[in-house]
Amino acid sequence: KFIRANRNRPFFLYLAHWATHTPLQATREDYEAVGDIKPHRLRVYAAMVRALDRSVARITEALEAEGLADNTIVVFTSDNGGAGYLGLPEVNAPYRGWKLTAFEGGIRAPLFIKWPQRIPKGSVVETPAAHIDLMPTVANAVGASTPEGVELDGIDLLPLATGQADDDQVRTLFWQSGYYRIVRHGDWKLQVSERPNKQWLYNLAEDPTEQRNLAQQRPDKVSELMALLDQHKDNGRAPLYPYVVEMPVAIDKTLAEKFEPGDEYIYWPN
C-alpha cells in the first residue's frame, strides 16, 4: 500500500522482518508446506523462513507492478547470525559461534543489495562489508551530502558492487560490547575478553571456521591488532549506557546441549 501511494515520488521504506526470530512459531499452512522435517523446532524454523521469503516477495512484486524495481535499492541483511538458544546446531554451519558472540557464526550475516539500474546481476564482492557501510552507500547513491561536522563511518559499497573499485581492499572493522572487543584487519581477526581473560587470533583466509587459535604462535600479530583495538578505544567515547547484564554463551554448543568442563565460552556484556 505504501509503495503504491508513493510511486510518483522518492520514498524510503523501512521494513524489519522478524520472521526467524524467537519465539519460534509459524502458521499451520507454512508448517505443513515445508514437509516432515526433524526435529520439530527445525521444521518450525523452516516454516518461518518460508514466511519470510513470501513477505519479501510481496515487496519486490509491488515494486515490479508499479514499474519501480529497476531504480529502487533493496537491501536484504541480518543484524547477526542465528542464536544458540534456538537449539539448532547447524543454523550457522560451517561457522563457529552464535548471536552474542563475535565468532563468524555470530557476525557473518547475509548482505544482498539489488539495484538493477546500477548493479550487474550476480555480482559478488569479496571485500568485507559491515552495516556501517549502508549509510554512506545509500547517501552517495541518492546524492545526499553529509552534514557539516559529521563524519560517517563505513565506505560506499557501490564502486565495489559495480566493478569500479578493486575488490581486494584491506579493511579494518571493529566490534565491541563492554570488555569484549574484536578487530578484523584484512584476513586477520583478534578477539579479546576479560571473561574469560583470553585472546583468540585467526587467519580467516586460511581458517574461515576459526578452528586454530594462533594467539600463542603469533604474538607479533596479536600486538599489531591490539594496537588497533587500543587506538580505536582511545579515539572513541565512553558508552552512553553501561551494560547491565553479563551472559555466558557456549561457543560450540547450543543452549539445548549440556555444557561440559573444557568447552569454550565467552561472556557477553549487554
Side-chain angles (χ1 to χ4, degrees), residues 181 226-236:
R181 300 189 293 154
M226 278 300 306
L228 293 174
L229 277 176
D230 291 340
Q231 182 182 33
H232 180 258
K233 182 178 180 181
D234 292 340
N235 291 339

Side-chain angles (χ1 to χ4, degrees), residues 5-6 8 41 63 78-79 104 131 148 181 235 260 267:
N6 294 276
N8 292 319
R41 71 178 67 195
L63 291 171
S78 175
D79 56 345
E104 291 297 283
H131 288 134
E148 186 176 352
R181 300 189 293 154
N235 291 339
E260 302 285 353
Y267 269 78

Side-chain angles (χ1 to χ4, degrees), residues 33-60:
V34 297
D36 187 18
I37 300 174
K38 297 292 192 295
H40 164 73
R41 71 178 67 195
L42 182 57
R43 182 172 179 177
V44 176
Y45 189 84
M48 295 168 71
V49 173
R50 184 176 189 267
L52 171 63
D53 184 66
R54 181 175 62 252
S55 184
V56 173
R58 290 179 61 193
I59 300 299
T60 58

Side-chain angles (χ1 to χ4, degrees), residues 10-31:
F11 64 86
F12 177 81
L13 175 66
Y14 171 72
L15 185 64
H17 297 270
W18 290 97
T20 53
H21 201 275
T22 51
L24 295 182
Q25 53 189 9
T27 65
R28 181 170 295 278
E29 177 186 356
D30 287 324
Y31 184 79

Side-chain angles (χ1 to χ4, degrees), residues 145-156:
S145 59
T146 303
E148 186 176 352
V150 174
E151 183 179 354
L152 294 180
D153 292 326
I155 65 171
D156 179 4

Side-chain angles (χ1 to χ4, degrees), residues 133-144:
D133 299 325
L134 293 180
M135 175 65 83
T137 298
V138 175
N140 290 339
V142 301

